[in-house]
Amino acid sequence: MKALLLVDIQNGFCPGGNLPVPDGDKIVPIANALIDNGGYDLIVASQDWHPADHGSFASRHAGKKPFEMGELSGKPQVLWPDHCVQETADADFHPDLNVQAFDYVQQKGENAAVDSYSAFRDNDHLATTGLGEYLQRQGVTDLDVCGLATDYCVSFSVLDAMEMLPGVKVRFIEDASRGIDPEGIRNAISLMRAKGAGIVNSTDILSD
């Protein structure tokens, strides 16, 4: 069972959104090509789905600005602009993304007291989202991951997939992802590779 996980391809992370990833919208045609012609048995997507009072928002911390370091539940926390708030257009999937093909959507980041980059669990590793259990029930043996942003939600999801889905072959699709910080992107890819993830491009998959 071969699955594709699309991480947070939402308006909020694309140009015009509240927390845009550079060229985030450029991955949408690639994601659609993978959906249509990648040979996947299962298409799943994660969706950042924050309450309006989420503790990772700089607006919840007096005197703090977005991208400064702060604290959340006693731990260091990058403070973000308000983004992907539940039931807002910012949280919607990109309008050109083929959402009709999705078999399952996993919402995340709903607990205001902890951030949740990974599609599989919160950053404190105390609560899982349910995605891992779903993929195990479906009998997934191969999981390809792409989306936004490489150096945060995508790499966290890849690393958690390798840890939480024993025996599943996990690959990161580099050209179907975009990141925020060039150095952070390089470090994330190096770490994913070091942990055993395959690093591929969509052309490797679509030419199979």
Side-chain angles (χ1 to χ4, degrees), residues 7 21 23 27 31 34 41-42 47 49 80 88-89 120 122 126-127 134 136 166 185-186 191 199 204:
V7 176
V21 177
D23 294 327
I27 70 169
L34 290 164
D41 305 299
L42 195 67
Q47 183 180 25
W49 195 246
W80 304 110
T88 67
F120 291 91
D122 290 343
L126 295 178
Y134 171 79
Q136 287 177 319
I185 295 166
R186 288 192 295 272
L191 180 58
I199 310 295
D204 303 318

Side-chain angles (χ1 to χ4, degrees), residues 11-198:
N11 290 330
F13 299 121
C14 292
N18 290 346
L19 184 50
V21 177
D23 294 327
D25 56 332
K26 299 290 179 63
I27 70 169
V28 174
I30 305 172
N32 285 337
L34 290 164
I35 290 170
D36 293 339
N37 301 305
Y40 294 101
D41 305 299
L42 195 67
I43 308 294
V44 298
S46 69
Q47 183 180 25
D48 231 20
W49 195 246
H50 294 309
D53 64 346
H54 198 275
S56 71
F57 295 165
S59 62
R60 306 299 299 178
H61 300 259
K64 289 289 188 178
K65 297 177 181 178
F67 307 109
E68 291 183 349
M69 286 302 298
E71 194 173 274
L72 180 58
S73 298
K75 298 177 182 177
Q77 170 69 43
V78 177
L79 300 179
W80 304 110
D82 292 23
H83 66 278
C84 296
V85 172
Q86 297 170 8
E87 310 296 348
T88 67
D90 200 63
D92 289 344
F93 290 108
H94 190 283
D96 295 334
L97 187 63
N98 181 12
V99 298
Q100 287 76 26
F102 292 177
D103 295 296
Y104 182 81
V105 173
Q106 180 62 64
Q107 293 176 335
K108 64 187 184 69
E110 297 178 79
N111 182 351
V114 61
D115 215 352
S116 185
Y117 297 152
S118 170
F120 291 91
R121 58 184 173 183
D122 290 343
N123 288 1
D124 62 10
H125 293 181
L126 295 178
T128 60
T129 62
L131 178 60
E133 293 85 349
Y134 171 79
L135 294 175
Q136 287 177 319
R137 288 197 303 271
Q138 301 305 310
V140 169
T141 56
D142 296 81
L143 179 66
D144 289 349
V145 185
C146 63
L148 305 170
T150 299
D151 40 343
Y152 286 93
C153 298
V154 177
S155 59
F156 275 61
S157 297
V158 167
L159 295 171
D160 278 351
M162 288 191 291
E163 182 177 334
M164 298 172 65
L165 300 173
V168 174
K169 180 181 178 183
V170 181
R171 301 190 299 182
F172 163 67
I173 311 173
E174 186 170 1
D175 67 327
S177 306
R178 293 291 187 277
I180 296 172
D181 172 63
E183 183 178 1
I185 295 166
R186 288 192 295 272
N187 291 340
I189 293 173
S190 294
L191 180 58
M192 287 187 282
R193 181 182 285 114
K195 293 290 187 179

